[in-house]
């Protein structure tokens, strides 16, 4: 099927107008979904009322719905055609003179009508396979996004895009469709990051959690209130939100290239796709430092020598250097030097900068690559150096000096299993009832989005994965949480919220959070461990070892009220190290 | 503005040539106001209104009252938006097919709109109301009532002459469409309520309770 609309006929302002409408529509849909959810819940409760009665049925004859006892001769009840339960005359609803149903069966039908299922059923006859939700909206969104070259501008649009996420999962059918959706999500997460970076307020957390039901007005309100809100409850909020592209999503981008504008998002993949290759020779000279005061990572690129010719036959070489702060491969992470003309020993003398928290560096790698810029858009890879920053001592002066590094061929980094898109949120909110003004209780919320590159344990297929969260308090008490199981997904997206409350900030200082991913076994055997990640205080302190990133990240989280931060949590495979 | 305190969400959609008065009509319906300015609709839009629908029993006796949340989709009549607007047909439960009583051409195009509907609506014979708008401009009238009625009869759909300027028949036309949809819904539902019965139950677990009870229905 055509995966998205061609909306090129719309002018820019028209596209925004359409988006605005789609956004409002999404609000309507959201309200509707919530309403239906409540209806179904009520129905469930009604059923339960009856179900409890089932046990009694052998001992006494009673109405399955209201539990009133029924006589043997008088008022003996009748069996409902819908559910085959015996019910009293009061628990019946007449549909027509010769048909009645018990209250539950009737309610079941009623919910179906009120949820508009008749419409979806009718439509499914004409369009089999049509998803119930806002498939159209997403298709349009993709279409709009493509004609907009991945540039959404207004805040409205951003909110809207976020609303869209909640529906992306229903779109599992078409491969090609998924790809554009995935591209969209990537672009939108990038945008969300931008706003959350720039605004650092509570409203943005709402943007990212599953509660997409707010409207723009409310968002604005919240924004203006957020300052006072923070003062009153002294909230601390942390966002761990990471956009990392896996090899699979690279493939997505390569495929997406036919859409014209998509590849601008991720040039690393287009490079390896249809770009030229040269033999890799030569060296590059650069220095790396971290400016602690300003939280800026600087890469000073001096120059290169003995580069290979980008176009060997023509003896042509116009080199430039490109840097990514992996694992982020989005354009946001890209920095480039100027192109030097006709030289294999270029001097750049340029400083490329990233604004990044120190605590995040541990999970990052610098990918510094050299390229030849040929005619038109022809690019040739000339070599690269990858520096894992975890091992880099930024406090050591000697590490800040210029150094020569041998250029290497493209490295195919083995992807490590990762917990993706984790959203951490902690609220310092006084809990009513407890009077301890000095130390307010707070709540730690951890939004689990998903994981990727999980190890394959089964010979047949994908894991049925779930996450356990275990908060280990200073007194070794453990607070445990568990997510639902997601069946057969290589890239599970749980979107589940762990809430740990009743803890105090000083307690958290010395606490440790263990997050583990498991493969649910289908039989009685125990669940398989897929990997784990830690955040927080180490049990064994006092050694001379450098402080691990997980500790720094945790401290950063506690120290920085109202800032969104992102970390990548790499999953480790040593099961013994984790409590679950 | 949308809270979930309603019983049904009903989605209607207005279609017809550009300038026949779709936007103005809907504005009259939701806000009871008239806008004499022509601002052509870009692609799509919608308005909302909460109404109470009184169902009627089989013998015309008053039934229950339901709160209905109406989502009224407005589409651009301009050809260049066609691919976008027709995509929205599929999501609507009923249609307000409009033409301009002062424009013969807009009336002739009703046939085209009908075939667009047949192709793109959720089913082959959706609920439609034919609306001849701008009835207040009687001196400029190009389509007579007989013509329009005949066409509506041919399609088996109701016909109304309305004016967004005076408000004439605006509410009536929408009410009629809503009524058609609610009736259709009841039919669909009766069918499922009955067929649920035929299949011997819908509420899962409870079925297994006591099979022998089934036989001794009184
Ligand atoms: N006198 C009179 N004018 C009307 C009536 N309905 C609409 N108009 C006018 O007709 C013009 C077009 O109305 P719109 O509602 O914008 O037309 P539309 O069908 O939405 O057009 P598109 O959005 O381009 O598809 C406006 O100037 C309206 O004021 C009516 O009942 N009487
Ligand atoms: Mg209009
Ligand atoms: Zn009863
Ligand atoms: Zn029943």
């Amino acid at each position: 099927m055509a995966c998205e609309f061609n909306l090129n006929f719309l002018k820019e302002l028209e596209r925004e107008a359409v988006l605005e409408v789609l956004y409002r529509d999404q609000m309507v849909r959201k309200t509707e979904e919530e309403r239906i959810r409540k209806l179904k819940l009520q129905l469930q409760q009604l059923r339960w009322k009856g179900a409890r009665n089932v046990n009694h049925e052998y001992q006494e004859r009673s109405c399955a719905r209201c539990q009133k006892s029924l006589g043997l001769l008088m008022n003996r009840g009748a069996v409902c055609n819908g559910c085959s339960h015996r019910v009293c005359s009061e628990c019946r609803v007449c549909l027509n003179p010769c048909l009645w149903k018990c209250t539950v069966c009737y309610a079941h039908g009623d919910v179906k009508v009120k949820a508009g299922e008749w419409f979806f059923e009718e439509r499914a006859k004409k369009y089999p396979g049509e998803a119930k939700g806002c498939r159209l909206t997403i298709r349009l969104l993709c279409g709009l996004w493509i004609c907009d070259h991945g540039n959404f501008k207004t805040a409205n649009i951003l909110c809207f895009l976020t609303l869209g996420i909640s529906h992306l999962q229903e779109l599992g059918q078409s491969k090609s469709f998924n790809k554009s959706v995935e591209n969209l999500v990537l672009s939108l997460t990038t945008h969300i990051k931008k706003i959350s970076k720039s605004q650092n307020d509570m409203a943005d957390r709402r943007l990212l959690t599953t509660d997409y039901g707010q409207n723009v007005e409310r968002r604005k309100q919240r924004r203006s209130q957020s300052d006072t809100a923070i003062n009153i409850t002294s909230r601390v909020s942390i966002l761990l939100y990471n956009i990392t592209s896996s090899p699979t999503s690279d493939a997505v981008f390569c495929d997406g290239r036919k859409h014209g504008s998509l590849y601008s998002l991720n040039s690393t993949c287009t490079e390896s796709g249809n770009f030229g290759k040269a033999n890799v020779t030569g060296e590059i000279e650069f220095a790396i430092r971290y400016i602690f005061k300003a939280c800026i990572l600087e890469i000073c690129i001096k120059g290169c020598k003995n580069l290979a010719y980008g176009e060997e036959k023509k003896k042509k070489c116009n080199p430039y250097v490109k840097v990514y702060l992996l694992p982020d491969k989005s354009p946001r992470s890209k920095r480039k030097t100027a192109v030097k003309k006709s030289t294999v020993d270029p001097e750049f003398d340029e400083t490329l900068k990233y604004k990044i928290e120190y605590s995040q560096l541990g999970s990052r790698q610098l990918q510094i690559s050299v390229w030849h810029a040929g005619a038109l858009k022809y690019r040739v890879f000339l070599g690269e150096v990858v520096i894992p920053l975890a091992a880099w001592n930024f406090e050591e002066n000697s590490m800040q000096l210029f150094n020569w590094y041998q250029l290497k061929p493209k490295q195919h980094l083995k992807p490590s299993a990762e917990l993706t898109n984790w959203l951490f949120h902690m609220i310092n909110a006084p809990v009513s009832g407890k009077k301890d003004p000095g130390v307010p209780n707070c709540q730690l919320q951890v939004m689990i989005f998903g994981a990727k590159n999980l190890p394959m344990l089964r010979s047949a297929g994908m894991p049925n994965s779930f996450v356990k969260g275990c908060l280990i308090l200073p007194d070794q008490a453990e607070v445990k949480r568990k997510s639902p199981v997601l069946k057969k997904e290589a890239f599970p997206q749980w979107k589940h919220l762990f809430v740990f409350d009743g803890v105090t900030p000083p307690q958290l200082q010395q606490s440790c959070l263990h997050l583990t991913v498991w493969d649910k076994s289908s039989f009685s055997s125990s669940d398989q461990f897929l990997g784990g990640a830690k955040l927080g205080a180490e049990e064994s302190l006092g050694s001379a070892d450098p402080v691990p990133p997980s500790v720094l990240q945790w401290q950063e989280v506690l120290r920085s009220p109202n800032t969104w931060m992102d970390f990548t949590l790499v999953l480790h495979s040593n099961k013994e190290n984790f409590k679950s | 503005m949308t809270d979930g305190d309603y019983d049904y969400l009903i989605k209607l959609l207005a279609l017809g040539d550009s300038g026949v008065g779709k936007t103005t009509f809907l504005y009259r319906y939701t806000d009871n106001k008239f806008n004499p300015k022509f601002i052509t609709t870009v692609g799509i839009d919608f308005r909302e209104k909460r109404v109470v629908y009184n169902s009627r029993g089989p013998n015309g006796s008053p039934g229950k009252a339901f709160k209905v949340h109406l989502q009224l989709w407005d589409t651009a009549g301009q050809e260049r938006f066609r691919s976008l607007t027709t995509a929205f047909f599929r999501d609507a439960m009923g249609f307000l097919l409009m033409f301009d009583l002062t424009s013969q051409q807009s009336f002739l195009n009703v046939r085209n709109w009908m075939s667009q509907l047949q192709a793109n609506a959720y089913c082959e014979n959706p609920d439609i109301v034919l609306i001849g708008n701008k009835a207040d401009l009687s001196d400029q009238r190009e389509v007579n009532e007989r013509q329009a009625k005949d066409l509506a009869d041919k399609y088996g759909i109701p016909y109304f002459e309305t004016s967004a300027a005076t408000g004439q028949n605006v509410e009536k036309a929408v009410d009629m469409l809503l009524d058609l949809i609610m009736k259709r819904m009841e039919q669909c539902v009766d069918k499922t309520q009955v067929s649920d019965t035929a299949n011997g139950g819908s509420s899962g677990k409870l079925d297994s309770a006591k099979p022998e009870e089934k036989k001794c229905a009184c």
Side-chain angles (χ1 to χ4, degrees), chain A residues 358-363 389-391 512 534-556 567-569 572:
Chain A
Y358 181 66
S359 55
Q360 293 179 38
L361 291 175
S363 59
L389 294 178
C512 182
K534 273 182 212 180
L535 266 185
E538 282 291 296
E539 296 93 272
S540 58
L541 284 170
S543 72
D545 292 342
V547 189
S550 66
V551 177
L552 293 173
Q553 286 167 345
W554 187 251
Q555 285 169 359
E556 195 66 28
F567 310 127
T568 305
L569 302 182
H572 298 278

Side-chain angles (χ1 to χ4, degrees), chain A residues 279-296:
Chain A
N279 284 330
V280 173
T281 62
E283 291 164 72
I284 178 168
E285 185 181 21
F286 58 83
I288 305 173
R289 357 174 244 222
Y290 188 74
I291 321 282
F292 283 86
K293 266 193 203 145
C295 295
I296 285 174

Side-chain angles (χ1 to χ4, degrees), chain A residues 64-65 79-87 91 100-106, chain B residues 201-203 206-207:
Chain A
R65 298 296 162 230
V79 172
C80 166
N81 270 318
C83 62
S84 311
H85 275 72
R86 187 169 285 277
V87 297
C91 297
W100 62 266
K101 285 194 173 187
C102 77
T103 43
V104 165
C105 288
Y106 177 78
Chain B
S202 52
S203 50
L206 302 180
D207 289 349

Side-chain angles (χ1 to χ4, degrees), chain A residues 24-237:
Chain A
R24 284 194 294 124
D25 179 43
Q26 200 70 15
M27 293 306 174
V28 175
R29 285 172 188 272
K30 230 36 229 186
T31 313
E32 173 72 353
E33 259 171 40
E34 182 56 25
R35 184 183 70 93
I36 292 170
R37 195 187 61 77
K38 280 191 193 137
L39 283 176
K40 293 197 167 149
L41 200 75
Q42 282 164 9
L43 174 64
Q44 196 55 45
Q45 280 160 356
L46 198 62
R47 281 210 180 124
W48 270 102
K49 238 172 81 186
R52 244 179 264 138
N53 193 41
V54 170
N55 304 334
H56 299 279
E57 242 175 320
Y58 286 98
Q59 290 122 39
E60 50 173 323
R61 291 168 61 88
S62 61
C63 168
R65 298 296 162 230
C66 69
Q67 309 182 29
K68 221 194 310 178
S69 53
L70 298 170
L72 281 170
L73 289 167
M74 297 283 288
N75 189 19
R76 51 193 300 256
V79 172
C80 166
N81 270 318
C83 62
S84 311
H85 275 72
R86 187 169 285 277
V87 297
C88 75
S89 54
E90 256 139 68
C91 297
R92 296 175 205 170
V93 180
C94 276
L95 296 173
N96 59 49
C98 40
L99 183 66
W100 62 266
K101 285 194 173 187
C102 77
T103 43
V104 165
C105 288
Y106 177 78
H108 177 82
D110 195 44
V111 168
K112 267 180 82 173
V113 197
K114 289 193 168 157
E117 301 224 344
W118 65 274
F119 176 76
F120 300 116
E121 278 165 19
E122 284 297 300
R123 187 168 68 178
K125 287 180 199 158
K126 188 172 171 190
Y127 302 101
E130 180 89 349
K132 197 155 98 179
C134 54
R135 191 184 179 82
L136 170 65
T137 315
I138 307 271
R139 282 174 68 200
L140 286 170
L141 205 53
C142 292
L144 288 167
W145 181 72
I146 283 162
C147 21
D148 217 20
H149 306 281
N151 292 317
F152 281 125
K153 285 174 199 119
T154 69
N156 268 7
I157 291 166
L158 291 169
C159 307
F160 171 67
L161 285 173
T162 328
L163 286 169
I165 301 182
S166 61
H167 290 282
L168 295 179
Q169 280 174 327
E170 30 179 286
L171 305 165
Q173 288 102 332
S174 151
K175 262 258 165 75
S176 59
F177 186 66
N178 270 347
K179 278 171 194 161
S180 46
V181 169
E182 237 178 281
N183 291 329
L184 178 69
V185 171
L186 228 94
S187 122
L188 104 87
T189 42
T190 315
H191 282 281
I192 290 165
K193 275 262 285 237
K194 271 190 206 144
I195 41 171
S196 56
K197 275 262 161 60
S198 61
Q199 279 156 1
N200 280 341
D201 79 15
M202 298 298 299
D204 290 312
R205 183 189 71 85
R206 293 178 54 91
L207 256 178
L208 288 161
T209 60
T210 46
D211 178 17
Y212 301 112
Q214 82 279 28
N215 59 33
V216 189
E217 269 63 45
R218 253 166 65 205
R219 273 173 46 76
K220 279 187 196 140
Q221 259 176 25
R222 289 180 62 85
R223 189 146 295 163
S224 53
Q225 285 169 359
S226 60
D227 277 349
T228 43
I230 287 159
N231 286 339
I232 294 162
T233 61
S234 65
R235 295 191 218 212
V236 186
S237 59

